Amino acid sequence: MSVRSLPLLFLNLGGEMLYILDQRLRAQNIPADKARKVMNDIITTMFNKKFLEELFKPQELYSRKALRAIYDRLAHCSIMRLNQASMDKLYDLMTMAFKYQVLLCPRPKDVLLVTFNHLDSIKDFIRDSPAIMNQVDETFRQVIEVYGCLSAGEFHLIRQTLLIFFQDMHIRVSIFLKDKIQNSNGRFVLPISGPVPWGTEVPGLIRMFNDKGEEVKRVEFKHGGQYVRAQSEGSFDLYGDRVLTLGTNIYSVSRPVETHVSGASKNSALNTKESTAPNSLAKEELNFLARLMGGMEINKNSGPEPGFRLNLFTTDEEEEHAALTRPEELSYQVINIQAAQDQQRNEELSRIMGEFEVHDQPQQSTSKGDDLLAMMDEL
Amino acid sequence: MYRREPPVSMRAWPAALYNNLCVLSVPAPRLTQFALVHGPNVQLLSAASDGLPLFQRQLHAKEGAGLSFPLVTQAYWCVLPFRVLLVLTSQRGIQMYESDGSVMVYWHALDSGDAPPAQALFARGIAASGHYICVGTWSGRVLVFDVPAKGPNIVLSEELDEHRVPITDIAAEPAQGQDCVADMVTADDSGLLCVWKSGPEFKLLTRISGFGTPCPSVRLWQGTVAAGYGDGQIRIFEASSGALHVQINAHARGICALDLAPEAGKLLSGAEDSFVHIWKLSRNPDSGCIEVEHCHAECVTDTQVCGARFCDPRGSSFAVTGYDLAEILRYSCV
């Protein structure tokens, strides 16, 4: 509903993706220079000016399936490759992590602090590359400019829109189960103790006034939780203590990232209209993808560096097993443009892609429309 | 005081919207009907006291150009003098159905008018006042529909232009006596409350300013306005003067739903802090001022409550919905 949720969704999911990839690159002992190249390439692509211009335009939030295509493209913009099963797992982890962060934000506005935590960490990843750092700082300023003056009501709408996006996802994540922030039924643990949000009073007091506005009676009641006052508000500036830890990096080399893909719950039959067409996207979602990916400058000539495959699982056998046993309703097989049937759609896509021809890219000899379609067929 | 009853299972999870539950009691046979919003559609369920769902139906938001799956914002049963209509508000407009959802009797498309480019368009906030149905919109405008005793000849009779930001909730109460006791209250994203007298021309009686936080849910009872706010507070005002009589630090997160049991003066509040509280409202016989007493606290473990309603006018039972919860929880007095 809110037409301002996409940038926040994209930046936070991107941030989570980078945390997970960083952890896996180290766990798999990928040479440091290759790992750094991958991280730099992904961050450069994520913060590409033209791409962000498209992203920040007011627009509806599209489905999880549509958005996954963007991250698939992003994950493959460098010398790294991921198999379908690993990409599925990566996307599951990213989305469940951000779902948790949005749900647990004390105030709807605090989703900005979560975003800033991600951006602060991204800046740390590329601290040795001033050119990319510049792009990230620019985006940071744009986020502050666009969201800094929104009202509490508008943040409530953004939060509701994001929660609708995450609505039917209940994938269990091992690291969340271990840390006791998720239950075995897939739902998150909501604490009823700790500091109240900044600007909220600790519950437990009833004050009664007369017609003149004078307080005449004061009664306390037992509200059931164990809350305390908030100590301080996080910083919404370019630099500062965010106070909130949601959105900081919870992964480290010693804590492997596993997911249980549980589709066997009795309530897994999804009733949304979306799910009745699992192998296609609405026309407007395809248009959205074309616009956004049109702005993504993927550097095809990645130099003499040989590529490598990253595995999100501990062994190749595990990855294979995961691919075979993924429940049908959690399948991300989304983009399936059959050239014969969707000739008209393909032409439209090519036309749209053509509008985004970037003129200072002489090495792009093929048309972007063909690239997009070719890439989609590979997914 | 209240104990858990068998929950009603659903095939979908409620959306994290305000006031996301409506309850209609059907006296014979003893059934309770529930309506709640799940994204682009509305789930209608009927259940008896054992919780087994007896009837289920899904209604969809009417599609239109540009949006394949427009989202529904609210579903509400409007009880009018001669009929009950089920009203759905969405990103596209307002749909009105017969109470069982079988037939759509009226459709009103939202006018995007002079909306600024970054504005989300939707309708939200539904109430029945006499034979009028009032619906709020993204611009703050409240549309008043005149509903005949039967048939589809529903007419947009008036547009109320007092609010400047999206409407969150509207509540109404039967008019009492001759002395202009208030009929309807509208609330918005800035926390502003407007109290109105209904009629062929609605008249604004009182304006109660907000204080920077939305008022997602509001109720009207015997000349008092009960409002729940995004910072977890409940405030109770005298409707005719706008004077604040009670301020409760009720919840640790934003309130998403309020409901009133008119025969007992009981107030129910549900919030994202996973708590549901029941309060008793009364008037002090000496001062005439409103007083509030806390009656009951219920923790809905690990659930951000998004809807809460009494199931009967005495408040002896209530139902709760929550985000990520595929059941309607029910409680009743012991």
Side-chain angles (χ1 to χ4, degrees):
Chain A
M1 274 186 299
S2 168
V3 290
R4 289 224 178 273
S5 4
L6 183 60
L8 295 180
L9 182 67
F10 176 78
L11 291 172
N12 284 291
L13 286 181
E16 286 301 315
M17 183 171 92
L18 289 166
Y19 290 162
I20 298 162
L21 290 178
D22 175 63
Q23 194 270 344
R24 287 311 298 164
L25 288 166
R26 284 193 266 158
Q28 217 172 292
N29 291 312
I30 302 294
D33 58 329
K34 283 196 172 155
R36 192 166 39 246
K37 175 164 175 53
V38 169
M39 295 295 281
N40 284 1
D41 283 349
I42 294 178
I43 295 171
T44 307
T45 311
M46 250 180 91
F47 290 88
N48 170 274
K49 201 173 156 75
K50 217 175 176 336
F51 175 73
L52 290 173
E53 241 171 59
E54 277 307 314
L55 196 78
F56 272 84
K57 284 185 182 159
Q59 58 197 306
E60 291 288 334
L61 207 57
Y62 293 101
S63 65
R64 286 199 305 281
K65 286 177 177 175
L67 218 65
R68 157 148 171 172
I70 311 264
Y71 289 103
D72 201 296
R73 192 87 172 110
L74 202 56
H76 288 96
C77 73
S78 185
I79 56 175
M80 179 184 73
R81 290 284 162 270
L82 290 164
N83 282 346
Q84 170 91 334
S86 281
M87 188 66 220
D88 283 345
K89 181 171 166 179
L90 176 63
Y91 194 59
D92 285 346
L93 281 170
M94 284 158 58
T95 39
M96 286 307 285
F98 188 44
K99 175 177 181 175
Y100 171 70
Q101 289 154 16
V102 172
L103 207 59
L104 261 82
C105 268
R107 300 171 299 179
K109 183 179 178 179
D110 292 339
V111 74
L112 275 189
L113 292 174
V114 176
T115 313
F116 294 156
N117 274 332
H118 282 117
L119 289 175
D120 287 340
S121 300
I122 291 173
K123 279 165 71 171
D124 197 52
F125 282 134
I126 43 114
R127 62 184 173 279
D128 297 326
S129 318
I132 318 172
M133 177 72 88
N134 220 16
Q135 285 175 258
V136 179
D137 267 337
E138 263 316 299
T139 311
F140 214 125
R141 282 191 204 96
Q142 195 176 4
V143 171
I144 293 174
E145 194 187 302
V146 169
Y147 295 93
C149 50
L150 291 188
S151 67
E154 283 166 301
F155 276 112
H156 269 92
L157 194 67
I158 288 173
R159 181 167 189 276
Q160 288 176 347
T161 309
L162 289 172
L163 287 178
I164 288 172
F165 179 86
F166 292 120
Q167 203 165 291
D168 303 320
M169 284 195 76
H170 302 91
I171 296 169
R172 295 171 302 163
V173 178
S174 298
I175 200 174
F176 294 162
L177 293 170
K178 276 199 200 98
D179 287 351
K180 303 239 187 304
I181 61 180
Q182 189 180 28
N183 291 318
S184 54
N185 60 16
R187 294 173 54 216
F188 290 114
V189 173
L190 301 185
I192 56 170
S193 58
V196 288
W198 186 259
T200 292
E201 298 289 338
V202 175
L205 184 64
I206 306 174
R207 296 167 68 197
M208 289 171 265
F209 305 87
N210 63 16
D211 275 323
K212 295 194 211 61
E214 296 157 343
E215 187 178 308
V216 294
K217 205 167 165 187
R218 187 178 265 244
V219 177
E220 285 187 11
F221 70 93
K222 254 195 95 51
H223 59 87
Q226 255 145 353
Y227 296 104
V228 294
R229 289 196 74 84
Q231 292 295 332
S232 54
E233 189 182 19
S235 161
F236 287 86
D237 295 325
L238 202 58
Y239 300 98
D241 179 8
R242 310 295 173 197
V243 177
L244 198 64
T245 56
L246 294 170
T248 53
N249 195 346
I250 59 166
Y251 306 106
S252 68
V253 184
S254 56
R255 283 153 68 81
V257 285
E258 297 158 37
T259 46
H260 294 301
V261 178
S262 76
S265 77
K266 61 177 157 65
N267 288 316
S268 58
L270 302 173
N271 272 331
T272 58
K273 262 189 173 174
E274 259 183 76
S275 66
T276 61
N279 282 344
S280 64
L281 290 174
K283 183 161 185 182
E284 70 231 15
E285 289 181 310
L286 276 170
N287 290 343
F288 152 74
L289 283 178
R291 270 190 302 111
L292 237 57
M293 295 207 262
M296 264 178 161
E297 285 170 16
I298 306 296
N299 188 3
K300 288 229 150 174
N301 305 334
S302 42
E305 298 270 8
F308 65 90
R309 191 173 62 79
L310 191 74
N311 187 347
L312 266 275
F313 299 83
T314 17
T315 62
D316 286 348
E317 289 73 36
E318 247 190 74
E319 190 186 43
E320 232 177 82
H321 178 75
L324 293 169
T325 56
R326 190 173 179 85
E328 186 56 45
E329 63 265 22
L330 295 174
S331 164
Y332 284 118
Q333 273 171 310
V334 52
I335 301 169
N336 215 333
I337 300 176
Q338 279 122 15
Q341 291 172 17
D342 295 341
Q343 187 60 27
Q344 194 190 10
R345 213 189 235 176
N346 293 351
E347 280 166 10
E348 168 115 12
L349 266 174
S350 301
R351 182 186 64 76
I352 292 166
M353 297 302 298
E355 287 166 24
F356 289 100
E357 206 69 51
V358 178
H359 298 291
D360 54 349
Q361 283 276 330
Q363 69 258 38
Q364 300 272 15
S365 50
T366 54
S367 97
K368 280 209 167 121
D370 289 335
D371 276 352
L372 179 65
L373 297 176
M375 187 264 314
M376 286 178 172
D377 286 340
E378 279 164 43
L379 281 175
Chain B
M1 233 185 91
Y2 285 87
R3 60 142 197 265
R4 285 273 301 256
E5 298 288 351
V8 181
S9 281
M10 298 188 287
R11 282 197 295 251
W13 291 275
L17 300 167
Y18 301 139
N19 306 303
N20 194 1
L21 177 66
C22 187
V23 171
L24 186 70
S25 261
V26 183
R30 291 258 318 274
L31 285 182
T32 313
Q33 288 188 61
F34 302 94
L36 51 94
V37 180
H38 166 72
N41 58 55
V42 171
Q43 302 284 325
L44 293 184
L45 305 140
S46 286
S49 50
D50 59 4
L52 284 173
L54 297 171
F55 167 77
Q56 303 216 30
R57 176 178 259 144
Q58 250 187 68
L59 297 175
H60 300 283
K62 201 159 138 71
E63 293 175 23
L67 277 172
S68 288
F69 313 118
L71 297 170
V72 176
T73 54
Q74 196 174 0
Y76 185 75
W77 272 293
C78 288
V79 179
L80 303 152
F82 298 107
R83 66 199 295 194
V84 176
L85 289 180
L86 175 64
V87 180
L88 264 59
T89 48
S90 74
Q91 289 180 280
R92 300 290 308 139
I94 301 156
Q95 292 153 252
M96 300 193 191
Y97 294 80
E98 293 298 352
S99 73
D100 62 356
S102 54
V103 178
M104 177 151 68
V105 297
Y106 184 70
W107 156 250
H108 176 94
L110 274 182
D111 175 21
S112 58
D114 43 358
Q119 178 66 51
L121 304 182
F122 54 88
R124 182 175 62 186
I126 310 167
S129 184
H131 61 92
Y132 297 100
I133 289 181
C134 300
V135 181
T137 64
W138 57 271
S139 62
R141 178 170 296 164
V142 176
L143 305 174
V144 181
F145 296 92
D146 193 336
V147 183
K150 56 182 182 178
N153 285 342
I154 296 168
V155 183
L156 174 62
S157 75
E158 209 184 341
E159 298 186 15
L160 309 175
D161 272 317
E162 202 58 41
H163 294 269
R164 292 283 162 269
V165 293
I167 300 292
T168 45
D169 194 21
I170 306 179
E173 199 186 24
Q176 317 233 355
Q178 296 289 77
D179 54 335
C180 212
V181 175
D183 280 6
M184 186 172 91
V185 60
T186 50
D188 73 21
D189 260 355
S190 70
L192 170 67
L193 303 170
C194 289
V195 183
W196 309 81
K197 171 109 192 84
S198 72
E201 255 184 55
F202 275 62
K203 186 164 159 269
L204 177 69
L205 297 176
T206 329
R207 272 178 72 102
I208 301 169
S209 296
F211 46 103
T213 182
C215 174
S217 204
V218 70
R219 284 291 168 268
L220 198 54
W221 181 69
Q222 295 192 358
T224 70
V225 173
Y229 293 86
D231 65 354
Q233 280 208 346
I234 295 175
R235 292 186 170 203
I236 310 214
F237 303 89
E238 183 70 55
S240 52
S241 64
L244 174 68
H245 276 180
V246 187
Q247 187 173 327
I248 313 175
N249 298 339
H251 290 275
R253 294 281 190 280
I255 290 174
C256 285
L258 279 190
D259 199 25
L260 235 147
E263 283 175 26
K266 279 193 192 168
L267 181 70
L268 174 68
S269 64
E272 289 176 349
D273 64 355
S274 67
F275 278 92
V276 168
H277 288 294
I278 304 208
W279 319 85
K280 178 91 177 63
L281 271 61
S282 56
R283 269 204 193 266
N284 185 302
D286 306 316
S287 64
C289 293
I290 310 294
E291 296 191 340
V292 171
E293 190 195 312
H294 179 254
C295 297
H296 181 75
E298 191 69 45
C299 180
V300 189
T301 315
D302 298 336
T303 305
Q304 294 201 350
V305 175
C306 55
R309 293 273 179 189
F310 281 117
C311 296
D312 64 276
R314 280 169 322 284
S316 54
S317 60
F318 64 92
V320 173
T321 54
Y323 181 70
D324 265 357
L325 189 63
E327 296 179 318
I328 301 174
L329 300 177
R330 300 200 299 178
Y331 302 81
S332 63
C333 262
V334 291

